[in-house]
Amino acid sequence: MTVVASQAVSLPAPLSSFVGRTGELREIRSRLGTSRLLTLTGPGGVGKTRLALQVATSLVKAFPGGAWLVDLTPARDRPAVARAVAAALGLPERDAGSAPEQLTGLLAERRALLVLDNCEHLVDACAELAHVLLSAAPDLHVIATSRERLGLTGEHVFAVAPLPPDEAAELLQERTVAVRPGFRVTPANRAVVTRLCADLDGIPLAIELAASRLQTLTVEQVTDRLEDRFALLTGGSRVARPHQRTLRATIDWSWELCEPAERLLWNRLSVFAGTFALDAVECVCAGDGIAEYEVLDLLDRLVAQSVVVPAEIEGRPRYRLLETLWQYGRDRLAESGEKDRLRRRHRAFFIALARSIDERWFGHGQAEALARLRLEHPNLLAALDGDTDHPAKLELAVALRYHWYAGGFLGEGRQQLERALAAAPEPTLTRAKALFVAAWVALMQGDQAAADPWLDEADSVCEQAGASAECASVQATVRGFRGVAAQYRGQLDAALPHFEEAVAAFQALEDGREATGWLIALAQGQVYAGDPRAAETGTKAAAAAEGYGERWGRAHLLVALSFNAWARGETEAAKALARTGLECIRGFNDHVAVALMLEHLAWATAAGDQLRAARLLGAAGALWRDIGTDISAFHPHLAGFHQQCEEEIAGAVGPAAYATALSEGADRATTPAEAIALALGDHPAAEAAGATSMCALTRREHEVAALVARGLSNRQVASALGRSQRTVDRHVENILAKLGFRSRAQIAAWWVESQAPTP
């Protein structure tokens, strides 16, 4: 005999409004039309329960056989799961093992909806019961909420994401009004509200706890106190589940559900800054309780439990911890006594990575190597910070020389090198290398006054060190950079002998790679000096670089060859060489090389298409400004050619049209990649931005907009993309201007709408 439940619908009435998630509601309802088991996964506090309840409430009429929400938090063993469900459905308790039979009897003929809430601590038991009930009741639908999937055949998984910025701000306002009537998100406070919500990862529970603090604190004060977020965010509802009353209790709940090895890995992952790769985790986190072969499985387990978030950035698989989970792991790591050891391992890994790239630089895979370092930029800065192992930090700063220069981090590199040199004054060969790298960076910034003393000191250190192959290599490099300094001052007759000496020294050391690099520099110097040997030297240098599979040096050689062709009046050849050079430098982030190629291409284009030439000059100007220098830093005569081109264009089209084209070029080339796309004609076509704007975003701006829509702050976007925050700030400003928006919330809303499929 079937027992009829006393209440066909048992869904608790919410005490507060439901904010946002319109798209998620629609998607979940759609999935329930094709799947009978749907599991909502996500980290603690992300809103799985509230979303499941909202879905169930909206679908009550579609399930005439009943709809129930079952809170499984109190259940502590396998039999208790079935008993809790039976109790929620109003079934009388019989003997300990009868609950599954009672439930199948009740639900077998019903079209019903069952929400199994908080399954994570008894996943196997919940999976077993769901399997039994779904097998016995063909019209039953189950929504489960859990920090990991149940793992059943036919299960659909919906990962509940943090709130986007506009919805997070709306939630903060809604909950704050309850304790502080009159609170509103306004243009005056929107920026700090957005920052607060982003720093809280867009997690609804954290936002609601922050709202309770706004009864007595300002938004700015709450944001500034987030360094100690677990002590700050404690004012939850007294009737909430115990693990949802404070932010720490929520994370503690996730922690307790992890196995000891999973907890250990969680702790250790907090040593990383921003995102991280699997090989780094295997090297840094293995040992002392975690075998290297266990790392991947443990990492997968933390992903499954919504502790670690997988991501793909620039086509590369990465992982990250939400800020709150990162800080929790950081606290646990400090308590464990492992923090200093892990930081040393972290630094050792990135020194090895940087050294490997530096040693293999002159060959295949340069762009890929820079892409890896770009993704690791936050970790590299973390490795350069911290404890007193100053020689190790100096070694890392040296090994990152191509990251600083070719990767587009000149300013950061200068700062890190100066800091490392100040902290490690001992006259070692590592210091001598750091001195010539610092001089190189300074030369690229147009600061020749700083470069000369550093080169002098590097020579002095080598003299103290005594004769050795390593010392001879350093001295040869210093001679080469003295040539660079002389060339940039316009002293070409003095520059060429330095380059020749550097080439000869490295040939004597049988270092063909370095010899080829300085042969390229010699060819460049000969071009600018008008030396008749330039063509022969350039041919040799190009052939040698080609033999190594080298691209970056060849691109710099093409800069000089393009200028040489233009200077001889061969404008078509100059344009062809500049375009080839731009193709060659794709994938790098070399502001100097790209800006010089754009200048040469503009000079060669000005006679036939003045407005295009103006746009190219505008793009070059944007790159010069980004690194804080201009074309005059690389040869005094180049500034004169630039001015001549400007005057020619303005005279042909008029100052106003020239200024407009110049601005257009600058707006469309805020990075070297965008500048290359503009110059080569593959800039993204303008697209309509809905009713808001007809102005297209660049590829990079699309990436930034996508991350802004996920709730990331500018700092977090910079970390994810391996860019400086200043660059990301400018991208966000451009996006706002192009789309005619005033807030990040509008960007997020536009992004979500623009990603919707077109009917």
Side-chain angles (χ1 to χ4, degrees):
M1 169 181 161
T2 301
V3 178
V4 179
S6 60
Q7 188 176 14
V9 176
S10 181
L11 300 173
L15 300 179
S16 58
S17 60
F18 183 82
V19 174
R21 301 218 187 263
T22 303
E24 289 96 324
L25 289 169
R26 183 168 56 247
E27 174 69 14
I28 292 169
R29 285 195 290 260
S30 173
R31 291 201 189 188
L32 282 173
T34 58
S35 173
R36 294 172 56 221
L37 172 60
L38 179 64
T39 301
L40 307 187
T41 64
V46 80
K48 301 182 293 294
T49 297
R50 190 60 191 276
L51 181 57
L53 177 60
Q54 192 72 14
V55 170
T57 301
S58 71
L59 292 175
V60 164
K61 291 182 180 179
F63 294 98
W68 300 268
L69 185 142
V70 185
D71 179 14
L72 296 173
T73 305
R76 287 293 174 264
D77 55 32
R78 186 180 299 268
V81 172
R83 289 200 302 271
V85 177
L89 271 60
L91 294 172
E93 186 173 354
R94 296 179 182 170
D95 58 86
S98 64
E101 181 181 348
Q102 288 179 283
L103 289 168
T104 56
L106 171 66
L107 298 171
E109 303 299 327
R110 295 192 181 205
R111 179 172 175 77
L113 177 63
L114 189 60
V115 180
L116 300 179
D117 191 30
N118 288 293
C119 298
E120 54 267 354
H121 60 305
L122 290 167
V123 171
D124 291 342
C126 292
E128 181 180 315
L129 180 63
H131 176 71
V132 168
L133 297 181
L134 290 167
S135 298
D139 289 325
L140 174 67
H141 287 66
V142 174
I143 299 176
T145 74
S146 176
R147 299 184 194 187
E148 61 178 305
R149 61 183 300 165
L150 300 189
L152 291 177
T153 301
E155 175 187 22
H156 282 214
V157 178
F158 184 91
V160 180
L163 291 172
D166 57 336
E167 294 181 6
E170 183 183 354
L171 178 64
L172 184 73
Q173 176 176 285
E174 289 272 336
R175 299 301 184 258
T176 303
V177 165
V179 297
R180 185 176 161 188
F183 175 83
R184 292 290 182 272
V185 178
T186 66
N189 67 9
R190 184 174 296 279
V192 69
V193 165
T194 300
R195 178 186 159 201
L196 172 61
C197 294
D199 286 349
L200 293 172
D201 300 309
I203 299 293
L205 174 63
I207 292 169
E208 293 183 345
L209 293 172
S212 71
R213 287 295 188 186
L214 292 176
Q215 183 175 7
T216 54
L217 298 176
T218 66
V219 179
E220 291 85 353
Q221 288 173 319
V222 172
T223 303
D224 291 341
R225 291 167 182 256
L226 284 182
E227 282 295 317
D228 192 10
R229 64 185 61 201
F230 297 115
L232 178 70
L233 304 180
T234 58
S237 169
R238 290 188 174 88
V239 298
R241 297 160 181 145
H243 67 270
Q244 293 180 334
R245 293 177 188 170
T246 70
L247 186 61
R248 176 169 286 280
T250 297
I251 310 305
D252 282 340
W253 171 261
S254 292
W255 169 266
E256 290 161 4
L257 294 175
C258 292
E259 296 295 328
E262 295 165 356
R263 297 176 188 175
L264 190 58
L265 183 58
W266 181 351
N267 287 355
R268 293 176 179 178
L269 291 176
S270 70
V271 78
F272 293 105
T275 64
F276 45 88
L278 176 60
D279 62 341
V281 179
E282 289 174 329
C283 186
V284 175
C285 298
D288 297 315
I290 299 177
E292 185 173 340
Y293 72 85
E294 294 180 299
V295 169
L296 178 57
D297 183 58
L298 290 172
L299 192 59
D300 283 345
R301 292 288 302 141
L302 290 177
V303 169
Q305 295 175 77
S306 305
V307 173
V308 172
V309 180
E312 184 175 295
I313 304 175
E314 296 188 17
R316 295 166 179 262
R318 307 283 292 178
Y319 300 89
R320 70 183 179 95
L321 291 167
L322 294 178
E323 185 76 13
T324 299
L325 300 183
W326 178 83
Q327 287 203 11
Y328 184 90
R330 197 80 159 179
D331 291 346
R332 291 281 191 173
L333 184 64
E335 293 168 4
S336 72
E338 283 197 316
K339 182 177 179 180
D340 290 342
R341 184 179 68 82
L342 262 292
R343 291 200 66 162
R344 289 193 295 271
R345 292 184 63 123
H346 177 272
R347 178 177 295 135
F349 173 82
F350 286 104
I351 287 175
L353 175 67
R355 187 191 297 139
S356 172
I357 288 173
D358 183 49
E359 291 172 352
R360 294 181 290 105
W361 172 255
F362 209 83
H364 296 283
Q366 291 173 322
E368 293 76 12
L370 284 182
R372 173 67 189 272
L373 292 178
R374 188 163 56 244
L375 292 177
E376 300 295 0
H377 188 68
N379 281 304
L380 297 172
L381 296 186
L384 286 163
D385 196 9
D387 60 36
T388 57
D389 190 356
H390 301 305
K393 289 188 283 188
L394 189 66
E395 181 184 2
L396 178 57
V398 170
L400 290 172
R401 56 179 171 161
Y402 293 106
H403 178 59
W404 305 136
Y405 178 71
F409 292 98
L410 285 174
E412 184 70 57
R414 174 82 174 265
Q415 180 181 348
Q416 294 295 339
L417 284 159
E418 288 180 344
R419 182 184 301 167
L421 284 165
E426 298 79 9
T428 63
L429 285 178
T430 300
R431 178 175 177 83
K433 293 175 185 177
L435 288 163
F436 75 61
V437 174
W440 185 19
V441 170
L443 287 169
M444 294 306 103
Q445 294 179 312
D447 189 357
Q448 295 162 4
D452 287 339
W454 282 331
L455 293 174
D456 291 341
E457 186 184 347
D459 261 340
S460 176
V461 170
C462 284
E463 289 172 5
Q464 296 176 52
S468 69
E470 185 178 10
C471 187
S473 174
V474 172
Q475 290 175 313
T477 303
V478 170
R479 282 198 290 276
F481 281 124
R482 289 196 188 282
V484 173
Q487 178 179 315
Y488 288 178
R489 290 190 181 96
Q491 300 167 353
L492 294 169
D493 289 342
L496 297 184
H498 287 302
F499 294 142
E500 290 167 347
E501 290 172 10
V503 172
F506 280 113
Q507 288 174 340
L509 290 168
E510 297 183 348
D511 188 339
R513 294 174 185 271
E514 286 291 334
T516 300
W518 288 111
L519 190 63
I520 290 172
L522 175 60
Q524 290 176 298
Q526 289 174 342
V527 164
Y528 292 118
D531 191 310
R533 298 172 296 171
E536 181 183 355
T537 306
T539 300
K540 288 180 181 178
E546 183 73 32
Y548 288 115
E550 204 278 344
R551 284 176 49 198
W552 181 70
R554 279 190 291 145
H556 278 265
L557 178 59
L558 287 165
V559 171
L561 296 178
S562 173
F563 171 82
N564 193 40
W566 173 80
R568 296 198 310 268
E570 300 171 2
T571 56
E572 291 305 315
K575 288 190 281 188
L577 286 165
R579 291 193 191 101
T580 302
L582 289 167
E583 287 286 3
C584 198
I585 206 73
R586 276 188 190 271
F588 297 81
N589 200 37
D590 188 337
H591 288 67
V592 172
V594 175
L596 285 171
M597 290 179 199
L598 292 176
E599 292 274 359
H600 298 167
L601 186 57
W603 303 348
T605 303
D609 189 341
Q610 291 85 10
L611 290 178
R612 173 168 170 74
R615 284 190 287 271
L616 293 171
L617 288 180
L623 298 184
W624 292 132
R625 287 190 294 275
D626 200 37
I627 58 174
T629 189
D630 59 47
I631 193 170
S632 65
F634 301 93
H635 192 295
H637 295 158
L638 296 180
F641 296 138
H642 173 91
Q643 183 177 352
Q644 178 183 328
C645 183
E646 285 188 309
E647 292 171 354
E648 180 181 338
I649 296 170
V653 303
Y658 171 62
T660 299
L662 200 70
S663 178
E664 288 175 358
D667 288 344
R668 293 174 62 184
T670 57
T671 67
E674 292 173 7
I676 292 171
L678 172 65
L680 297 180
D682 59 350
H683 198 76
E687 298 174 350
T692 309
S693 174
M694 294 294 289
C695 183
L697 302 186
T698 65
R699 283 189 293 260
R700 177 63 72 191
E701 287 165 355
H702 272 283
E703 292 178 2
V704 171
L707 294 173
V708 168
R710 285 170 46 192
L712 274 67
S713 66
N714 284 10
R715 176 175 59 82
Q716 291 167 323
V717 172
S719 173
L721 295 178
R723 294 289 187 271
S724 69
Q725 183 168 336
R726 184 177 68 172
T727 297
V728 172
D729 290 342
R730 187 170 64 250
H731 280 313
V732 172
E733 290 170 2
N734 288 343
I735 293 167
L736 291 170
K738 289 181 178 183
L739 299 180
F741 293 156
R742 292 183 299 173
S743 71
R744 298 166 69 88
Q746 288 176 296
I747 294 175
W750 169 81
W751 177 261
V752 171
E753 181 179 349
S754 69
Q755 301 308 297
T758 304

